[in-house]
Amino acid sequence: MENKNFYRNFFAIFIPLVLQNVITISVNLADNIMLGSYSETALAGAAAVNQVQFVYSQIVLAFGDALVILGSQYWGKKRIEPMKKLTSIGIRFELLVWILLFTATTFVPIKILEIFTTDGPIVAAGVEYLYVIKFTYLFFAITQLLLAMLRMTEVVKIALGLSIMTFFVNCGINYVLIFGHFGAPALGITGAAIGTLTARILETIVVILYIALVNNKLDLRLRDFATFDRLLAKDYIKVATPMVIVQGLWGLNTALQTVILGHMTAAAIAANSVASNLFMMVKSMIYGASATASVIIGRTIGEGDLKEVMKLSSRLQKMFVVMGILGGIILFIIRVPILNIYALSPETKAMANSFLIILCFVFVGMSYQMPTNNGIIRGGGSATYILKLDIISIWCIVLPLSFFMAFVVNASPLVVLICLNADQFFKGVPAFLMSHYGNWIKKLTR
């Protein structure tokens, strides 16, 4: 019965989170397909802006994850008041980041976009897109913080519902306004930005109404956001700081990986684009597992049963290995029919196929190390450990090795791809040692 309850609880959180991530990726994919059909310049301009959005979203999500890690321990103790204060603190930090980004994108948009491209028409398209899309950043920050607040109380289905709504609203408005269907003006890249802005506003309205009228386990009220607790703020900053740094560096790392492959052959660029889109879909399982493990571990630490925490950690890690093997097999099976959908040259299709075979093995390693490090260990309160691990593995090993192999040795794109993903294998060793023998369980509550 105990095992049955564990699996029921795990999958009740895991499945909606995975589906939410899959739908979110589908929205981005649909946006790319529509803009690409309208104009390659528009697609490139939006892609440049999306590099800025990606780093911003990682920082916003890091503040939300910090709220979940700290708040889940209070949830395990059934202490509601500190959770309400933490939510108020989290929203203040997210609003501060939003103000900084909104100011920068308003006053120096061209300078920002020229970091990613110096092509005049692409920069002009990006500025046009950014003029509208910058207003989405506020709504995105509020929605993600409120969803994190719900997640720390084990409420996750609303996030899936919001993603489904976003998919249809965004795609529908894009179809009408990008191309000018049903008598609407053909606004191109501006139409895509309007679709995203509309969806973001609706997301925020729906999640606020949901909390106010349907599911408000914290009894959160507007007046609670006026409170500020300095001691809890110190606790929150201590947890959030390493996570924000890790997520920000990870966003930068992702951009640099694109740069490395982007300076190789044209076939490598196209093959990486195709392979990474499919891999992102399957990788949703890993993100879902990490987020679920973080909630379960944090709540159990808050309950004070440390033996149960170690028992859950061991059980979760066995699940991660099984999920990795199954996910790798699924990716291997679906790669051929998915590749046949694309109109690729034989050379590009062969390279994309080779990339995906490599990523099948990468998935197995990633499925163990990422949920163990970012879900169990970080969820247990050891966020600083993850910061140190990422700095050493990515910035001292993976990126230097990849740059060396790509630009000094002139290795093949396949070898470079293996180097870029090498950390997914060797980070499993410290994950195992730390989770079994290290001091990773930290009581963060007062």
Side-chain angles (χ1 to χ4, degrees):
M1 181 61 70
E2 181 184 351
N3 287 348
K4 189 175 181 181
N5 289 336
F6 166 78
Y7 290 117
R8 183 187 297 118
N9 187 30
F10 179 88
F11 286 106
I13 301 172
F14 172 76
I15 292 174
L17 289 175
V18 172
L19 292 176
Q20 176 204 354
N21 202 48
V22 168
I23 294 169
T24 300
I25 294 169
S26 300
V27 171
N28 295 336
L29 191 59
D31 278 359
N32 285 344
I33 291 172
M34 289 189 203
L35 276 176
S37 300
Y38 176 79
S39 161
E40 286 190 13
T41 301
L43 176 60
V49 174
N50 288 339
Q51 294 293 327
V52 179
Q53 287 184 204
F54 180 73
V55 176
Y56 171 71
S57 69
Q58 294 309 305
I59 294 172
V60 166
L61 293 172
F63 280 120
D65 288 343
L67 177 64
V68 173
I69 289 171
L70 192 51
S72 293
Q73 293 198 15
Y74 281 108
W75 180 244
K77 290 178 176 291
K78 306 301 180 187
R79 293 179 58 192
I80 302 301
E81 200 59 34
M83 297 172 72
K84 295 164 71 171
K85 292 178 179 178
L86 285 168
T87 304
S88 171
I89 293 165
I91 202 76
R92 291 166 192 255
F93 280 103
E94 294 210 342
L95 290 177
L96 176 61
V97 176
W98 163 71
I99 290 170
L100 294 174
L101 180 61
F102 187 83
T103 302
T105 52
T106 298
F107 292 104
V108 287
I110 295 176
K111 295 292 185 185
I112 292 173
L113 292 176
E114 284 179 345
I115 295 173
F116 305 99
T117 178
T118 55
D119 186 295
I122 293 176
V123 171
V127 170
E128 182 183 344
Y129 185 66
L130 190 57
Y131 182 78
V132 177
I133 210 73
K134 66 184 179 184
F135 293 102
T136 69
Y137 299 157
L138 172 62
F139 299 102
F140 178 78
I142 294 172
T143 300
Q144 293 305 313
L145 196 283
L146 293 177
L147 288 177
M149 182 271 289
L150 290 168
R151 194 162 75 245
M152 71 180 174
T153 63
E154 302 177 67
V155 176
V156 294
K157 290 182 179 178
I158 177 62
L160 173 59
L162 284 178
S163 296
I164 294 172
M165 180 194 73
T166 299
F167 179 83
F168 287 106
V169 170
N170 193 29
C171 290
I173 294 176
N174 281 2
Y175 178 75
V176 173
L177 292 184
I178 290 176
F179 303 103
H181 292 296
F182 306 112
L187 300 178
I189 196 169
T190 300
I194 292 172
T196 303
L197 176 59
T198 306
R200 293 294 182 222
I201 293 172
L202 283 175
E203 275 183 344
T204 304
I205 292 172
V206 170
V207 76
I208 290 173
L209 290 176
Y210 180 85
I211 292 170
L213 304 176
V214 179
N215 195 328
N216 192 356
K217 291 184 178 182
L218 298 186
D219 191 31
L220 194 67
R221 295 289 181 265
L222 189 61
R223 63 177 177 271
D224 293 318
F225 290 98
T227 63
F228 187 80
D229 189 306
R230 289 189 176 184
L231 286 176
L232 283 175
K234 287 176 64 177
D235 293 342
Y236 182 80
I237 292 170
K238 186 177 180 181
V239 175
T241 300
M243 295 178 65
V244 169
I245 295 173
V246 166
Q247 294 295 92
L249 290 177
W250 185 75
L252 183 58
N253 164 51
T254 302
L256 286 175
Q257 290 192 18
T258 304
V259 168
I260 292 173
L261 285 171
H263 282 77
M264 303 188 77
T265 66
I269 299 171
N272 180 59
S273 177
V274 172
S276 60
N277 280 333
L278 179 56
F279 187 63
M280 283 293 291
M281 287 284 189
V282 184
K283 201 162 71 172
S284 298
M285 294 171 58
I286 303 175
Y287 289 129
S290 296
T292 305
S294 181
V295 172
I296 291 174
I297 292 294
R299 182 198 64 210
T300 310
I301 291 174
E303 291 171 351
D305 191 347
L306 301 188
K307 287 185 177 179
E308 181 65 15
V309 173
M310 293 301 296
K311 183 179 175 183
L312 288 174
S313 171
S314 178
R315 185 181 297 171
L316 285 166
Q317 288 178 59
K318 292 174 183 175
M319 289 179 63
F320 299 155
V321 173
V322 173
M323 288 167 56
I325 294 171
L326 290 177
I329 293 172
I330 291 171
L331 182 59
F332 184 82
I333 292 172
I334 66 174
R335 78 188 196 287
V336 174
I338 294 296
L339 285 176
N340 287 335
I341 296 174
Y342 289 87
L344 303 173
S345 68
E347 179 192 1
T348 302
K349 183 176 287 189
M351 187 176 293
N353 183 57
S354 299
F355 278 7
L356 285 169
I357 291 173
I358 292 170
L359 291 174
C360 291
F361 293 97
V362 169
F363 185 86
V364 178
M366 183 183 285
S367 291
Y368 174 74
Q369 76 83 11
M370 187 180 287
T372 302
N373 282 319
N374 294 346
I376 294 174
I377 297 173
R378 192 172 74 175
S382 297
T384 304
Y385 160 79
I386 302 300
L387 172 60
K388 295 175 182 176
L389 179 63
D390 274 8
I391 288 175
I392 293 171
S393 61
I394 295 175
W395 295 92
C396 296
I397 300 175
V398 169
L399 285 178
L401 176 63
S402 301
F403 269 103
F404 178 78
M405 295 303 291
F407 302 121
V408 178
V409 178
N410 292 321
S412 71
L414 292 179
V415 173
V416 174
L417 183 72
I418 293 171
C419 293
L420 286 169
N421 290 281
D423 61 319
Q424 302 305 332
F425 297 102
F426 65 72
K427 278 163 69 173
V429 176
F432 178 84
L433 294 175
M434 183 67 170
S435 61
H436 284 79
Y437 307 108
N439 181 26
W440 58 274
I441 301 175
K442 312 288 184 185
K443 290 187 177 181
L444 304 174
T445 55
R446 290 188 178 273

